[in-house]
């Protein structure tokens, strides 16, 4: 398979969100399934979640395209680990644990997993992350995913603000040292 640059591979993430949303909301009723097993702590509609996740992801892509640092790559990967990779594990685990098909499972496994493997491989090949960093981003993404599931949207807001500040602050420090 030809090498896909990290920056280009990242573009697959918003497309995966859109297709995944189609399965969760247009083909099935994920919200109804989720409410059977988890607390109702997220008043956002599935459409709102799609818009927020796609918009936030695009800002991560723009941050990386503009600054092109290891920190911006890590921030984007952390976000995708939380919102896509652990989402796939959630759908699979929910389907198994409750013996009840979790709407979104199909696209989570067929899109989220391969897209994020491609993104991770590209980041590794370009030296943007190490294998250890990738493992830590995976674990951090899991913590963020479950915090979001049990606390709700404020986790997304705080995480997004913190990682954007981390990325921009790191770029300013690097520029200042270079000057």
């Amino acid at each position: 398979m030809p090498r896909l640059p990290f920056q280009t591979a990242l573009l697959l993430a918003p497309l995966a969100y859109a297709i995944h949303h189609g399965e969760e909301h247009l083909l099935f009723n994920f919200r109804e399934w989720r409410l059977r097993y988890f607390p109702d702590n997220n008043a956002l509609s599935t459409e709102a979640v799609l818009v927020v996740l796609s918009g936030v992801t695009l800002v991560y892509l723009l941050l990386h395209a503009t600054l092109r640092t290891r920190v911006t790559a890590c921030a984007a990967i952390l976000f995708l680990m939380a919102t896509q990779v652990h989402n796939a594990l959630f759908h699979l685990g929910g389907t198994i644990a409750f013996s009840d098909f979790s709407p979104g499972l199909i696209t989570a496994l067929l899109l989220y997993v391969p897209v994020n493997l491609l993104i991770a491989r590209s980041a590794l090949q370009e030296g943007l992350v190490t294998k250890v960093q990738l493992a830590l981003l995976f674990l951090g993404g899991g913590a963020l995913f479950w915090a979001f599931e049990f606390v709700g949207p404020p986790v997304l807001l705080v995480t997004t603000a913190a990682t954007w500040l981390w990325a921009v602050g790191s770029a300013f420090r690097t520029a200042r040292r270079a000057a």
Side-chain angles (χ1 to χ4, degrees):
M1 179 177 204
R3 184 175 135 356
L4 191 62
F6 177 73
Q7 196 166 317
T8 305
L10 284 175
L11 294 172
L12 297 172
L15 178 61
Y17 282 131
I19 296 168
H20 181 71
H21 171 74
E23 179 191 356
E24 283 188 337
H25 183 68
L26 301 176
L27 296 179
F28 303 108
N29 188 343
F30 173 74
R31 189 148 179 86
E32 178 183 292
W33 180 91
R34 186 186 184 284
L35 290 175
R36 278 198 299 264
Y37 305 108
F38 294 92
D40 187 11
N41 62 358
N42 186 351
L44 298 176
S45 68
T46 55
E47 291 84 1
V49 171
L50 171 66
V51 169
V52 168
L53 292 178
S54 296
V56 170
T57 302
L58 290 172
V59 173
Y60 280 113
L61 272 62
L62 288 170
L63 266 176
H64 184 71
T66 304
L67 302 176
R68 296 182 188 200
T69 68
R70 287 186 168 118
V71 172
T72 58
C74 285
I77 292 169
L78 176 66
F79 184 74
L80 293 173
M81 288 290 182
T83 60
Q84 292 192 353
V85 175
H86 283 279
N87 182 276
L89 296 174
F90 169 82
H91 283 290
L92 179 60
T95 296
I96 293 168
F98 303 119
S99 297
D100 185 11
F101 170 74
S102 171
L105 175 66
I106 298 164
T107 52
L109 294 179
L110 295 179
L111 286 178
Y112 281 175
V113 172
V115 161
N116 283 279
L117 284 173
L118 183 64
I119 289 168
R121 186 181 82 179
S122 297
L124 285 167
Q125 288 174 339
E126 293 179 28
L128 295 167
V129 295
T130 65
K131 289 181 181 179
V132 170
Q133 289 169 328
L134 202 53
L136 292 172
L137 292 168
F138 174 80
L139 293 173
L144 292 172
F145 176 84
W146 287 106
F148 177 80
E149 284 302 314
F150 287 105
V151 176
V155 172
L156 178 62
L157 178 65
V158 169
T159 301
T160 302
T163 56
W164 290 352
L165 288 172
W166 174 42
V168 172
S170 173
F172 280 123
R173 285 189 300 280
T174 301
R176 209 172 339 143
R177 274 186 249 136

